[in-house]
Amino acid sequence: FWGSTLWNSSLSWWTEDPDLTPCFEQTALVWTPCAFFWLFMLFDFWYLKASLDKNIPWSKISISKLLFTIGLLVITILDLIMAFVKKGGDTDLPRYPLDVWGPIIKIATFLLVLLFIPLNRKFGVQTSGCQFMFWFLFVILSIPRCRTEARAHQQRNEILDSNQEEIPDYSWEEYQFVSFFIFYAFACVMLFLNCFSDAMPRQTKYKRGPNEIPELSASFLSRITYRWFDSMALKGLPQSSRGRDLWDLRPQDSCKEVMPTFA
């Protein structure tokens, strides 16, 4: 499928300089976050359906997400095209199924991510835990390949700088090196953008005032770390908090909403 073993204990475990096989780095470490996103995207669709808000205006964050996702799509499509140009056929490099199916799986995943950007705006979803975790896993699990590509690039430079009579053709390897690090930089930017929530929706079921609880507009990262509560904790540190310092209750937790269900 790839031209190398998926797992090699001598390379990855029983050695003083451990590394992963290229097959493992480009299958398990890439398809795991993709599989996570395809599995848990059902929660995102449920949040769209259950949202009480609508119509988020375009902001710098949403526009940046759109542009960088399109950039990732372009790079991945270019990888697929280059696999047909540089490998297989009359070339010396064999084209393996992973050279085709790897980009196709990433293209399908990025198209789905791209689809959620206008949907989240339309249905008033300011943040997505599923998308944050997808980009977090994608960036973290791509770190081993960063090391592999950097070391391979250094080794190629040493060979090219040597006085060998026959210099190997490293055009495909150099393309992969440049393409991957541009791709990885874009993925890191997407992770950074998903650390923040989008703009306030224009249409809301409940009136949202200046004293609303920050949790309503907090990003997923802010919610799981309770970062949105820091301002209240800091305000109550030098003195005791008073009633006027407290935020309004979440509309979903008000008696108007809870009492009919209880009754």
Side-chain angles (χ1 to χ4, degrees):
F1 189 75
W2 169 242
S4 70
T5 57
L6 178 66
W7 181 260
N8 187 343
S9 299
S10 300
L11 178 67
S12 305
W13 190 257
W14 303 109
T15 177
E16 295 180 355
D17 186 20
D19 204 352
L20 297 172
T21 64
C23 181
F24 190 86
E25 290 178 351
Q26 298 185 39
T27 54
L29 298 187
V30 174
W31 295 349
T32 295
C34 292
F36 171 87
F37 185 68
W38 282 90
L39 181 63
F40 288 94
M41 71 175 180
L42 299 175
F43 288 98
D44 270 3
F45 280 115
W46 183 84
Y47 282 122
L48 292 176
K49 183 180 179 181
S51 176
L52 302 176
D53 304 325
K54 306 291 180 186
N55 192 12
I56 295 178
W58 283 106
S59 63
K60 293 180 180 179
I61 292 179
S62 56
I63 294 174
S64 298
K65 287 180 180 179
L66 183 68
L67 293 177
F68 278 99
T69 305
I70 293 175
L72 288 166
L73 269 171
V74 171
I75 294 172
T76 310
I77 292 172
L78 188 59
D79 289 344
L80 180 60
I81 295 173
M82 292 298 291
F84 283 98
V85 173
K86 293 285 188 180
K87 305 186 76 174
D90 298 331
T91 63
D92 296 332
L93 296 174
R95 183 171 59 243
Y96 297 104
L98 181 61
D99 295 322
V100 178
W101 286 105
I104 288 177
I105 291 174
K106 288 192 288 186
I107 289 171
T109 304
F110 294 148
L111 283 174
L112 188 60
V113 173
L114 190 66
L115 174 65
F116 272 106
I117 294 176
L119 286 178
N120 287 341
R121 287 187 58 252
K122 180 179 179 181
F123 292 96
V125 178
Q126 295 178 261
T127 185
S128 169
C130 179
Q131 293 182 41
F132 173 84
M133 290 303 301
F134 164 70
W135 290 113
F136 178 77
L137 290 173
F138 205 96
V139 168
I140 295 299
L141 295 181
S142 295
I143 292 177
R145 190 178 175 189
C146 289
R147 176 178 180 268
T148 300
E149 291 287 348
R151 295 182 68 177
H153 179 68
Q154 184 180 5
Q155 292 171 1
R156 289 193 297 270
N157 286 338
E158 292 175 356
I159 295 175
L160 293 174
D161 292 338
S162 64
N163 297 324
Q164 294 185 6
E165 295 181 359
E166 295 184 4
I167 301 297
D169 182 15
Y170 289 130
S171 58
W172 169 250
E173 288 79 4
E174 286 300 313
Y175 167 77
Q176 276 196 312
F177 172 78
V178 175
S179 171
F180 170 73
F181 276 103
I182 295 175
F183 180 92
Y184 186 70
F186 278 31
C188 290
V189 173
M190 286 299 295
L191 174 60
F192 176 76
L193 293 173
N194 278 272
C195 291
F196 304 95
S197 60
D198 217 330
M200 186 86 72
R202 289 195 180 103
Q203 301 174 15
T204 59
K205 180 180 179 181
Y206 304 100
K207 184 178 179 181
R208 300 180 66 168
N211 199 40
E212 72 172 15
I213 184 169
E215 184 185 5
L216 292 177
S217 298
S219 66
F220 173 77
L221 181 62
S222 178
R223 291 182 182 183
I224 63 174
T225 59
Y226 281 88
R227 175 69 178 81
W228 61 269
F229 188 75
D230 285 357
S231 59
M232 179 65 69
L234 293 173
K235 183 179 292 185
L237 188 63
Q239 60 184 5
S240 58
S241 299
R242 301 173 183 175
R244 63 175 179 271
D245 296 327
L246 301 179
W247 298 306
D248 295 335
L249 197 65
R250 284 199 324 160
Q252 298 93 320
D253 299 330
S254 63
C255 291
K256 179 181 178 181
E257 292 294 326
V258 175
M259 190 57 195
T261 305
F262 174 78

